[in-house]
Amino acid sequence: MAAVSGMADSSRQLRIELLGPVEAWVGDQRVGLGGQRPRALFAFLALMSGRVVTSEDLIDELWGEQPPARARDSLQMHVSRLRKALTLVGAEGGGLISQAGGYVLDVRPGQRDVDRWQQTLGQARRARAIGEFAAARAGIDDALRLWRGQALGGVAAHEVLAGERARLEEERLGAIIEGIELDLGLGRHAGLLGQLEALVIAHPFKERLVELQMLALYRAGRQADALAAFHAARTRLVEELGIEPGQPLRERYNDMLRHADTLDADPTFASPVAAGGRGLPALPNRTIGRKRDVDAIGARLRVRSVRLLTLVGPGGVGKTRLALEAARRVEHDFTDGARLVSLASVQRADDVPAAIVRALGIIVFSGESAYEAIERFLTRKHLLLIVDNCEHVLTAARSLGGLLEASPALTILATSRQPLAIHGEERYPVSPLTLPRPAARYDVEALGGVDAVVLFCERARARDPTFDLDALEAPYVAEICRRVDGLPLAIELAAARCGLLSPSEIAERLDTALGTLGTGALDAPARQQTLRATIDWSHELLSDDEKQCFADFAVFAGGATVSAAETIMKTGLDTLDGLLAKNLLVGGPRTHMPARLGMLETIRAYASERFAVSPGRDAVCESHFHYYLALAEGHGSERVLWGADRKHHRAHVDDEIDNLHAALGWAVRRESARQALAMCAALRSYWALQGRPAEAVAWVQTALNLPDGGEYPVLRVEALEALAFGLRQLGRTDDATPVLAEAEAVARDLDDPAIVSAALERRAVREAMDGRPCAAEALADEALDHATIAKDDWAIANAAFARALAAPPTPELRQRVDQAASLLHKAGNIFRLSSLYSSAAYGAICNGSESDAKEFIDAALRIARDDDHPFTWMGIQGNLGLSALLTGDVEAAHHAFHTELALCRELAARPYDIEGLRGLAAVAAHRGEADRAARLLGAATAHRRGQPEDPVDAKLDATFYEAARTLHGAAAWTAASREGRALSFEDAIAYALDDPRGDPRTEPHDNRGT
């Protein structure tokens, strides 16, 4: 095998093999390592990569907790024999050196196969990241060929070696999975089936393997086998571990049930970390010097009594990175995985619930606050929630404590510069990296084992591949690390200059910066003062263009695309690239989306101070507002968010929502009613589609109350309509009605037929949904007249939609639906088209027109399969179940109601459980399971929440429940129904889905997982 570039390849140098039986070679000569214990000693020292290991640590590893009395003598004997064996074969490098109460093995770059493994695998992953998938697949094969068997084979492993063996084997399995992902993306699914079956047998609880097995089977045309693989995995997890499959595996199962298009174009080419993390962002490089911290935090998170753990430390100490590393270690111990909520861009404590709602993708229902929606969503989730950057919104900590009380299976891992100071909080102080001790003369090998120095050297090599720690520069590197107190951020900023300056020059400039530039507050911790000085120093080394760009970048909330940064700041690509190279900006390319840049929190806080006193600040803010207003108008309008490319447009607004709100906040602060109302109008459809009524109400009310807000009637109409929608979603119907009436009045005064039509159509839809078809029809007819005058196809289609909703349950319903569908399809209004068919299906069911209902449902299904909105799919499944049930297809009905309730549980959508429970009760009655039918019907009755009965309820009762009640006997039916009424929302759904946790005859147990 050819030597890897940059690594030693001398025929007399030592080759260390750890990825299989532990061996050492010089050329073709094997080093006589001896038996298990000396082989373990060699492996331990080789893994330490040039670090000194104390005799005590070696004895603990070789003999465990009960070493023999003469263990130290035995250790010296093994060391002596290893030295002799290395000398005998004439190895260059690889010397075993006694030092500082222990021993160190002189390991040089490229001598260990684990180094070649990491480098080859890293090259494959970089190829994958830039879209070179075939090269990435070949690179993973190259990396896996370095393995010769079980890692660290032939040695007696205690704590350290056992842990390293497990870590290496997990890396190996991860690489195998990455290779399979790439093969699937390259269309090689047929050849994977045998390998995947064997891997699933070997790793029965690895859900990602089951997910990939299902996908390969599905693409090979074996859809039934794919679904069977899910059920087999679920049985293993439930029966052996007492937990349900995680969300990704359940989503794959649901996708297969509805034959989602994503199954044929699966995003298996995503970055391997992102694909495995499922919600946790990937780290840009490896973490150094935090193994003990990660182990300790992971151990505490696995203790069920620890509900809130806060990582506390100064800015720049690496709390976020440590939290993510620890979360990745334990995320599989939580049934619902781990999710990250960053509060870095949150301005006020009151906005924390909204940030959590956005991060977790929670839909806020009518009448709910954001906090209530979170509480509902998390009630039965077994989830690790990482809440990052809490220090500036500490008054929101009480709400986190409330979530823990309401959600017994929730664990929170928080990061903050100071404790949250709430009941039940446990704290973990995050310290800087270990530092070298001051010395008159430094030993390079020993210094290379100090965490702060290792970090500096690795980041320096990333900037300058030729960098090497030698005796001349070692004192300066040690000095740099000490002067910045071992803070990782400060070390990385200093190391980033190695492409331009030597360590001695960096140390000299750092000393000048610390002596002459501003520092933090006198009462701030010393480390924070040092970090500020480091950023000051790094800032002073920038060119004038870079300084201006650095300060101006603070205008962005949540980062920016390269194009946005160039346009808004009127800067060049080279300037941005320079800041990126100096680690003052972070980011890079993303799959299927524009490259994005951002700032670390501490850096952005510093840049914000510079921006606040910048003479060009107002011009940059103005430019920022106009750029994002144009983006909102282009990607957030009703016509694109409801059209065929809605996913693409919604993704752009999702990416930029922090910047859009920042721009809106700027307009409000300068009391510009025109600009604020324009942004509210542009975001109206997005707020509605994403279920953010509280957000819409707060912003629109503020904008409408600005001075001169009445001078822009066109914008005011759209803002009022957004306000009315938000108020109704929050349950404030009485407040919404006059707002909608005002919008109509202002629209009529404008004498613009398109605007009048839109206002009337919205009122018509509302009247129809509130059960006033006559009023709705009159408004819809008038809306259609105005739309026709305006010659606006979109407005004409919307008016026809409103007329269809107002149609009476007669044959005219079909005529109006067909007309509206034709117009909506022509206008490209796909969202309304799906809603039209789903609503028409329910109307047909109520009217007894089952054949029409099935046709409408089939049409809605075809459209909904192209969408990723779970609530739309949930509603359609309910109507599908009713249609199938009333036409005698009981098995199809069972499947549809099962899917509806599974989504209802996943989304914690309490208002939507009645239909599924009643539907499955009818299925049970049809099958002769009267006891089960009575329980389900009792649960549905208990959760009706005052909703009136309709014709469908009467049909189900006459067709299914009455006969079952008579056969079962009134007393037995009543008793079973009473048991059903006692079930909670979660237990009722679990019972309906055949989950033993929901059976009232089963004793409750802790389902937090193992």
Side-chain angles (χ1 to χ4, degrees):
M1 179 176 177
V4 179
S5 176
M7 293 185 175
D9 61 354
S10 169
S11 61
R12 302 311 302 164
Q13 284 197 340
L14 185 67
R15 290 198 328 273
I16 300 172
E17 296 181 345
L18 304 174
L19 302 178
V22 175
E23 300 285 358
W25 299 79
V26 174
D28 294 329
Q29 289 184 280
R30 175 184 287 150
V31 179
L33 298 178
Q36 280 201 15
R37 198 156 276 137
R39 201 173 289 267
L41 168 64
F42 181 82
F44 194 176
L45 292 171
L47 283 169
M48 291 303 102
S49 188
R51 298 189 192 185
V52 177
V53 184
T54 66
S55 297
E56 287 74 18
D57 287 343
L58 288 169
I59 290 169
D60 288 343
E61 182 61 29
L62 295 181
W63 284 280
E65 295 180 356
Q66 296 181 331
R70 299 181 62 82
R72 190 173 293 272
D73 293 338
S74 297
L75 174 64
Q76 291 176 351
M77 178 190 68
H78 290 317
V79 169
S80 177
R81 289 178 178 175
L82 282 174
R83 281 177 175 155
K84 189 175 295 183
L86 290 167
T87 303
L88 187 64
V89 295
E92 291 184 9
L96 216 170
I97 305 164
S98 301
Q99 193 173 89
Y103 302 92
V104 62
L105 185 67
D106 177 18
V107 179
R108 299 178 184 178
Q111 289 185 326
R112 305 182 310 171
D113 57 0
V114 292
D115 296 329
R116 298 191 294 277
W117 156 255
Q118 290 288 349
Q119 183 171 11
T120 308
L121 191 59
Q123 290 171 344
R125 286 172 173 167
R126 285 190 290 275
R128 182 177 186 176
I130 62 175
E132 296 178 0
F133 304 124
R137 185 65 185 92
I140 287 176
D141 281 339
D142 289 342
L144 289 170
R145 275 193 285 270
L146 294 169
W147 287 73
R148 299 167 294 106
Q150 184 189 46
L152 305 177
V155 303
H158 287 92
E159 183 179 356
V160 174
L161 290 179
E164 284 298 303
R165 174 180 289 162
R167 180 185 66 81
L168 288 168
E169 290 293 341
E170 187 67 19
E171 283 187 4
R172 182 188 193 183
L173 179 60
I176 291 171
I177 290 173
E178 290 175 41
I180 292 171
E181 290 171 344
L182 286 162
D183 280 335
L184 280 170
L186 293 165
R188 303 168 182 171
H189 45 269
L192 294 172
L193 298 178
Q195 180 188 11
L196 280 165
E197 183 176 5
L199 285 168
V200 169
I201 292 172
H203 306 277
F205 304 118
K206 196 78 172 178
E207 294 187 37
R208 180 59 176 160
L209 285 172
V210 178
E211 191 180 347
L212 295 172
Q213 181 188 33
M214 291 171 63
L215 186 60
L217 287 166
Y218 184 95
R219 290 184 178 176
R222 295 169 56 181
Q223 298 175 10
D225 290 340
L227 297 175
F230 170 84
H231 288 294
R234 181 182 181 275
T235 299
R236 289 195 300 272
L237 292 166
V238 171
E239 293 182 355
E240 298 187 41
L241 301 181
I243 61 174
E244 283 287 330
Q247 182 178 352
L249 189 54
R250 296 198 304 272
E251 288 177 349
R252 181 69 72 197
Y253 175 70
N254 288 328
D255 286 347
M256 290 182 177
L257 290 177
R258 60 189 179 94
H259 302 289
D261 290 345
T262 52
L263 296 170
D264 297 319
D266 189 67
T268 50
F269 285 141
S271 72
V273 178
R278 294 290 178 176
L280 296 181
L283 294 171
N285 41 43
R286 79 180 182 105
T287 301
I288 293 172
R290 294 299 191 191
K291 184 180 184 302
R292 289 187 178 180
D293 290 320
V294 170
D295 291 343
I297 294 167
R300 293 179 73 175
L301 291 174
R302 289 188 176 103
V303 177
R304 294 184 180 180
S305 61
V306 177
R307 303 289 312 289
L308 171 60
L309 181 62
T310 305
L311 307 188
V312 182
V317 78
K319 300 183 292 295
T320 301
R321 176 184 282 269
L322 183 54
L324 289 170
E325 286 283 11
R328 287 189 182 281
R329 179 73 61 87
V330 302
E331 66 176 325
H332 295 299
D333 294 314
F334 292 81
T335 306
D336 295 295
R339 297 291 296 275
L340 172 69
V341 176
S342 174
L343 304 182
S345 62
V346 174
Q347 301 297 318
R348 306 175 305 155
D350 290 344
D351 295 331
V352 169
I356 298 176
V357 163
R358 288 196 296 272
L360 299 186
I362 300 171
I363 300 296
V364 181
F365 294 131
S366 175
E368 277 188 330
S369 67
Y371 181 82
E372 288 169 341
I374 298 165
E375 190 174 78
R376 163 181 54 80
F377 185 81
L378 294 177
T379 296
R380 291 294 293 270
K381 292 285 192 294
H382 182 210
L383 178 76
L384 175 63
L385 185 65
I386 307 164
V387 186
D388 193 32
N389 302 121
C390 296
E391 57 272 0
H392 61 301
V393 286
L394 287 176
T395 54
R398 289 183 181 179
S399 63
L400 297 180
L403 290 178
L404 292 171
E405 291 178 7
S407 310
L410 175 69
T411 299
I412 294 178
L413 176 62
T415 72
S416 179
R417 296 189 189 183
Q418 63 187 90
L420 305 188
I422 60 175
H423 180 70
E425 179 188 29
E426 294 195 23
R427 302 165 187 172
Y428 187 93
V430 181
S431 302
L433 298 176
T434 55
L435 292 167
R437 295 178 180 177
R441 189 173 180 182
Y442 288 93
D443 184 294
V444 174
E445 286 76 15
L447 194 62
V450 178
D451 291 333
V453 176
V454 173
L455 176 62
F456 183 96
C457 293
E458 180 157 309
R459 300 298 187 259
R461 290 189 191 103
R463 188 73 179 128
D464 177 13
T466 66
F467 177 85
D468 193 18
L469 185 66
D470 56 27
L472 183 63
E473 297 290 4
Y476 300 107
V477 172
E479 178 69 10
I480 292 166
C481 293
R482 281 201 309 275
R483 292 304 300 270
V484 299
D485 286 344
L487 286 173
L489 175 59
I491 292 171
E492 294 198 20
L493 288 171
R497 307 306 302 180
C498 281
L500 179 64
L501 304 172
S502 68
S504 59
E505 291 173 308
I506 293 172
E508 180 183 356
R509 290 171 180 261
L510 180 62
D511 186 64
T512 303
L514 289 168
T516 62
L517 297 181
T519 63
L522 294 177
D523 59 349
R527 294 188 186 100
Q528 287 178 310
Q529 294 184 35
T530 303
L531 177 60
R532 184 175 183 82
T534 303
I535 304 174
D536 271 327
W537 158 74
S538 191
H539 180 267
E540 288 306 309
L541 291 177
L542 301 177
S543 68
D544 290 342
D545 286 345
E546 287 175 330
K547 286 179 181 178
Q548 189 61 56
C549 181
F550 173 74
D552 289 350
F553 200 89
V555 74
F556 295 107
T561 63
V562 173
S563 176
E566 289 179 299
T567 302
I568 293 168
M569 301 188 299
K570 297 178 174 56
T571 190
L573 196 60
D574 289 343
T575 303
L576 292 170
D577 196 38
L579 293 175
L580 187 66
K582 298 174 179 68
N583 288 336
L584 293 173
L585 291 180
V586 295
R590 299 180 300 162
T591 305
H592 307 309
M593 291 293 283
R596 194 167 187 85
L597 301 172
M599 278 182 167
L600 298 175
E601 178 205 355
T602 310
I603 299 296
R604 186 170 185 271
Y606 181 94
S608 296
E609 295 177 7
R610 299 276 175 177
F611 186 56
V613 297
S614 171
R617 180 176 182 272
D618 288 343
V620 174
C621 288
E622 184 88 35
S623 178
H624 178 271
F625 174 86
H626 287 294
Y627 182 93
Y628 286 105
L629 175 61
L631 184 143
E633 291 172 340
H635 292 291
S637 73
E638 176 182 286
R639 302 195 181 209
V640 298
L641 287 181
W642 290 4
D645 293 330
R646 56 197 176 280
K647 292 182 187 178
H648 165 75
H649 294 289
R650 192 166 66 226
H652 277 280
V653 186
D654 283 339
D655 254 8
E656 301 295 358
I657 192 62
D658 288 332
N659 275 312
L660 291 163
H661 285 166
L664 179 50
W666 172 80
V668 167
R669 288 192 299 275
R670 72 195 302 253
E671 296 189 337
S672 173
R674 179 180 59 81
Q675 291 177 316
L677 288 172
M679 185 64 84
C680 287
L683 289 174
R684 179 194 65 188
S685 296
Y686 176 79
W687 282 331
L689 188 66
Q690 295 298 88
R692 297 182 175 187
E695 217 168 76
V697 168
W699 282 115
V700 174
Q701 284 181 330
T702 302
L704 287 170
N705 290 327
L706 291 174
D708 303 325
E711 295 185 8
Y712 308 99
V714 174
L715 297 175
R716 190 173 184 84
V717 169
E718 295 190 70
L720 286 167
E721 289 170 348
L723 177 59
F725 181 85
L727 289 170
R728 290 191 65 91
Q729 289 297 100
L730 293 174
R732 296 166 58 184
T733 304
D734 292 342
D735 295 332
T737 301
V739 173
L740 205 55
E742 182 185 350
E744 181 186 346
V746 176
R748 288 185 184 277
D749 287 342
L750 288 171
D751 198 28
D752 183 319
I755 295 175
V756 175
S757 176
L760 292 171
E761 174 260 318
R762 286 177 174 83
R763 276 204 62 200
V765 170
R766 181 47 51 200
E767 294 290 339
M769 295 181 72
D770 287 346
R772 294 184 289 273
C774 292
E777 186 166 8
L779 288 165
D781 286 341
E782 189 179 357
L784 185 57
D785 290 341
H786 284 282
T788 304
I789 293 170
K791 299 180 180 179
D792 186 329
D793 288 345
W794 185 272
I796 291 170
N798 277 339
F801 170 82
R803 290 190 78 249
L805 292 189
T810 66
E812 189 175 351
L813 170 65
R814 180 57 181 260
Q815 178 185 348
R816 292 193 187 183
V817 169
D818 289 345
Q819 180 187 26
S822 175
L823 292 169
L824 288 167
H825 189 273
K826 178 183 176 183
N829 193 335
I830 307 302
F831 181 80
R832 271 277 171 89
L833 190 59
S834 174
S835 179
L836 170 73
Y837 283 128
S838 186
S839 299
Y842 194 81
I845 292 169
C846 290
N847 195 36
S849 304
E850 280 80 13
S851 59
D852 283 346
K854 185 178 187 309
E855 186 175 341
F856 291 145
I857 280 294
D858 288 344
L861 284 170
R862 286 194 297 272
I863 299 167
R865 283 195 180 100
D866 295 329
D867 205 346
D868 60 354
H869 203 285
F871 281 87
T872 301
W873 188 255
M874 183 173 61
I876 291 174
Q877 288 296 312
N879 288 340
L880 174 62
L882 289 173
S883 176
L885 194 61
L886 294 173
T887 55
D889 193 347
V890 179
E891 291 307 313
H894 177 268
H895 180 268
F897 289 129
H898 195 282
T899 301
E900 179 187 30
L901 280 179
L903 284 169
C904 187
R905 177 169 64 178
E906 178 61 33
L907 301 168
R910 293 178 188 271
Y912 298 88
D913 61 338
I914 304 169
E915 184 176 69
L917 291 171
R918 287 179 64 85
L920 288 180
V923 170
H926 177 82
R927 291 174 173 175
E929 301 168 355
D931 201 58
R932 177 176 176 80
R935 282 194 183 89
L936 290 170
L937 194 57
T941 302
H943 294 283
R944 183 170 282 280
R945 304 174 191 89
Q947 299 177 33
E949 292 194 2
D950 61 19
V952 173
D953 292 317
K955 284 187 180 185
L956 295 180
D957 193 62
T959 308
F960 298 98
Y961 309 140
E962 285 183 4
R965 189 184 298 114
T966 301
L967 289 173
H968 198 49
W973 181 275
T974 301
S977 178
R978 189 181 300 114
E979 290 181 356
R981 287 172 182 267
L983 294 174
S984 66
F985 166 78
E986 295 84 3
D987 288 341
I989 293 182
Y991 178 61
L993 298 178
D994 298 323
D995 188 334
R997 290 178 300 171
D999 193 328
R1001 297 162 294 184
T1002 302
E1003 290 297 320
H1005 66 278
D1006 186 351
N1007 67 340
R1008 280 171 59 90
T1010 56

